[in-house]
Amino acid sequence: QVQLVESGGGLVQSGGSLRLSCAASGRTISNSGMGWFRQAPGKEREFLGGISWSGTSYLVDSVKGRFAINRDNAKNTMYLQMNSLKPEDTAVYYCATGQMSYYSADAKSYAYWGQGTQVTVSS
């Protein structure tokens, strides 16, 4: 089993930056693909991007150029660096992983999820 815990969320003003962490325990994630999602109130969970076991990352167009995903396998942790934040980025951010070695845009591909961390961007 794998347990994931997100951290690093908080309140930031528009244009600011945050770095989210996703720490895994129970089993190493070094050979697993991982993804970041977010969910705003009243909306469905949205795929943001992911990173493979080898470090190949992908971001959706809405955050490409502002966000970055990386991982530190030695620390069993994935990161989401968020820059130039906008009010529309306000959401609960989740990390996820599964048995696959690559990431997926399909939430159903992930077997393990964190509890989420709140990100609020003020105008």
Side-chain angles (χ1 to χ4, degrees):
Q1 296 185 3
V2 177
Q3 295 81 45
L4 302 176
V5 179
E6 302 95 341
S7 62
L11 175 64
V12 64
Q13 63 182 1
S14 181
S17 298
L18 285 173
R19 189 191 192 197
L20 306 184
S21 298
C22 174
S25 62
R27 190 175 68 194
T28 180
I29 61 169
S30 61
N31 295 323
S32 300
M34 303 186 73
W36 282 103
F37 294 77
R38 68 184 180 188
Q39 187 167 19
K43 296 184 178 180
E44 293 187 351
R45 189 165 43 192
E46 175 189 12
F47 173 70
L48 296 177
I51 188 166
S52 72
W53 68 271
S54 63
T56 301
S57 63
Y58 168 82
L59 290 163
V60 299
D61 289 342
S62 62
V63 300
K64 188 177 182 180
R66 298 189 297 120
F67 292 8
I69 298 173
N70 55 68
R71 65 192 297 167
D72 186 340
N73 288 338
K75 296 182 178 180
N76 224 26
T77 301
M78 175 180 64
Y79 303 94
L80 178 65
Q81 178 67 49
M82 304 186 294
N83 302 317
S84 301
L85 284 163
K86 306 174 182 179
E88 51 262 45
D89 294 318
T90 296
V92 177
Y93 284 69
Y94 299 90
C95 65
T97 191
Q99 299 299 316
M100 71 288 190
S101 60
Y102 216 68
Y103 54 82
S104 174
D106 185 358
K108 296 184 181 298
S109 298
Y110 299 91
Y112 307 104
W113 293 82
Q115 293 299 307
T117 184
Q118 177 71 48
V119 172
T120 302
V121 184
S122 62
S123 301

